[in-house]
Amino acid sequence: PESPELLALCLKHIPALSSSSHGQPQLHVVDAGWIWTEPNCMRFKVHLTLRYTIDNVPVQQRVKVELRNAWKQCPDCNREYTNRTWQAVL
């Protein structure tokens, strides 16, 4: 289940890896990989090796990131399975 495509999708949802603004240094992902978790825990753990430059000094650091998987229904399914909903055409 932990595929490279899922890893790429998870990395897109980490705010610190998005394009830098407000004068913060740009982070570059050098390496990324999965950390094993229980299959039913609904959490993904990723270890990242990040590189960035501060005052012309390159800094490289390994960090662990934990992402939560939360289920959400589409609006149509939510409306269908919720009691006491009304729809009218005027």
Side-chain angles (χ1 to χ4, degrees), residues 5-52:
E5 293 83 12
L6 181 60
L7 182 61
L9 185 66
C10 289
L11 291 178
K12 288 181 183 177
H13 289 283
I14 299 174
L17 298 180
S18 63
S19 61
S20 78
S21 60
H22 309 294
Q24 297 176 353
Q26 176 69 33
L27 297 174
H28 300 282
V29 178
V30 176
D31 185 32
W34 295 105
I35 299 173
W36 186 84
T37 58
E38 291 291 332
N40 295 327
C41 74
M42 304 294 286
R43 296 180 190 273
F44 298 112
K45 291 184 180 181
V46 179
H47 64 82
L48 301 173
T49 304
L50 301 174
R51 180 181 294 153
Y52 52 97

Side-chain angles (χ1 to χ4, degrees), residues 23-27 51-61:
Q24 297 176 353
Q26 176 69 33
L27 297 174
R51 180 181 294 153
Y52 52 97
T53 304
I54 299 176
D55 296 330
N56 295 326
V57 177
V59 177
Q60 185 168 324
Q61 183 176 1

